[in-house]
Amino acid sequence: MTVISTHKDVEALRLTFVAEFEAGVDRVWQVWQDPRQLERWWGPPTWPSTFDRHEFVVGGQSRYYMTGPEGQKARGWWSITAIEAPHRLEFDDGFAGDDGEPVDPADATHTVVTLEAAGPGTRMTTVTTFVSPQQLERMLAMGMEEGMRLAMGQIDDVLASASR
Amino acid sequence: MVVDEGTADRIFHALADSTRRDILARVIRAEQSVSALARHYPMSLAAVQKHVVVLERAALVVKQRRGREQVVHADIAALRRAAQLLDRYEQLWRHRAHGIAQILAEDRILAEDRPGPNTEKGTNP
């Protein structure tokens, strides 16, 4: 995995993230399409995600939760707004209540995923736009900050053992 | 969280206007008086003053009275705090990309274990 670039647009509250993978476009599309694969990478390390609904069609709904280290659950939902297999996916992602249903359907982030062939591999671009800084704050507060620190620590461990 | 919701709100609201971004860019380069800033824009001194107040409430700039002039300079720390939020979100995506790469790497390991027409087993160093 190579991270090609990231772009943070502070004024527009938008993050563009570009990564390349050593696999074909169809294969990378599957990690989004198959809920069993998706839940292996969507949540932070200490907050694994479970997708108990994942309708991969326009207008399709997903329901997921992330389980924290003390068993606490952070729930979210997706609504797929555009899909062109295997190159383009757009969806809204928001917070859900204890019943798993959206708290406020208008309070969602919007993500556009683009997959394109790059040599033998695939370039994946994701553009996520937030509607308010509070939304971004809450997204990060869903256990993600702690998760990120641990993820970075794991990479450091790998690098340290490789240099030994 | 370093940035409370109200603070983050004011920062993003302040930066949503192009005149205010331009004012901020100018005072980052060098502190300027409000009247000197006003000469750059086709609007009244009062209008520029209002923009400066918005930037001031977001703690992006600090205004000080010097004699008869009001001098504006940038508070870089506040800008950094705004960017921090997106930095953290970027870390989440780095983690996700790492997770995807791991799943794809498992495919390759499985493919190597499976005997195929072009696979020579046991020749890996």
Side-chain angles (χ1 to χ4, degrees):
Chain A
M1 184 266 296
T2 320
V3 175
I4 303 301
S5 68
T6 60
H7 177 71
K8 289 175 283 258
D9 186 339
V10 174
E11 291 101 68
L13 277 177
R14 186 185 297 133
L15 176 79
T16 303
F17 183 89
V18 185
E20 280 188 9
F21 300 106
E22 295 171 46
V25 171
D26 286 311
R27 179 65 190 94
V28 180
W29 183 256
Q30 281 173 29
V31 306
W32 288 92
Q33 182 173 29
D34 175 2
R36 298 293 82 80
Q37 291 180 45
L38 173 60
E39 62 193 9
R40 288 180 57 197
W41 60 269
W42 182 253
T46 53
W47 287 72
S49 61
T50 304
F51 278 73
D52 32 39
R53 185 173 168 192
H54 191 49
E55 299 163 353
F56 210 62
V57 290
V58 174
Q61 299 291 311
S62 301
R63 298 289 181 267
Y64 68 92
Y65 59 89
M66 300 191 301
T67 310
E70 269 108 56
Q72 65 273 48
K73 285 187 168 55
R75 295 178 190 275
W77 57 273
W78 286 11
S79 179
I80 292 178
T81 56
I83 201 162
E84 288 164 42
H87 292 287
R88 188 178 177 84
L89 166 70
E90 293 190 28
F91 61 93
D92 292 328
D93 177 20
F95 302 95
D98 287 338
D99 62 354
E101 293 306 304
V103 174
D104 175 5
D107 179 22
T109 67
H110 188 68
T111 300
V112 178
V113 185
T114 313
L115 302 180
E116 51 197 336
T122 299
R123 181 178 298 122
M124 181 180 84
T125 305
T126 65
V127 182
T128 306
T129 313
F130 294 86
V131 295
S132 71
Q134 293 98 312
Q135 194 184 48
L136 180 45
E137 292 263 9
R138 273 181 291 150
M139 197 62 97
L140 292 163
M142 277 167 76
M144 289 184 174
E145 213 187 340
E146 178 205 13
M148 285 320 96
R149 259 199 305 273
L150 286 166
M152 290 302 106
Q154 285 163 359
I155 291 167
D156 287 345
D157 289 348
V158 170
L159 293 175
S161 60
S163 64
R164 245 172 243 143
Chain B
M1 287 284 153
V2 184
V3 184
D4 66 84
E5 287 187 5
T7 308
D9 237 5
R10 285 191 291 275
I11 290 169
F12 288 113
H13 168 67
L15 292 176
D17 180 272
S18 63
T19 302
R20 288 197 287 271
R21 286 201 297 274
D22 196 69
I23 291 173
L24 184 61
R26 286 176 193 279
V27 300
I28 283 171
R29 287 196 289 272
E31 61 174 32
Q32 290 196 43
S33 68
V34 177
S35 50
L37 282 169
R39 286 196 281 274
H40 297 290
Y41 309 104
M43 57 180 82
S44 66
L45 178 66
V48 172
Q49 241 154 359
K50 277 183 192 167
H51 281 310
V52 170
V53 168
V54 176
L55 289 167
E56 214 182 353
R57 283 199 188 127
L60 292 166
V61 302
V62 178
K63 196 168 66 184
Q64 285 168 325
R65 182 162 283 284
R66 264 187 225 151
R68 293 174 62 190
E69 279 196 326
Q70 297 196 83
V71 180
V72 184
H73 60 93
D75 183 350
I76 306 293
L79 269 182
R80 286 212 188 100
R81 286 196 294 275
Q84 264 177 7
L85 284 173
L86 285 170
D87 282 346
R88 292 191 201 132
Y89 195 67
E90 179 191 340
Q91 290 308 318
L92 174 63
W93 270 106
R94 283 183 186 275
H95 163 70
R96 285 172 176 166
H98 183 67
I100 292 172
Q102 273 183 335
I103 294 171
L104 301 174
E106 283 172 21
D107 283 1
R108 287 193 293 277
I109 292 162
L110 285 172
E112 278 165 26
D113 286 347
R114 210 178 296 129
N118 298 317
T119 311
E120 290 175 49
K121 275 199 83 180
T123 54
N124 286 345

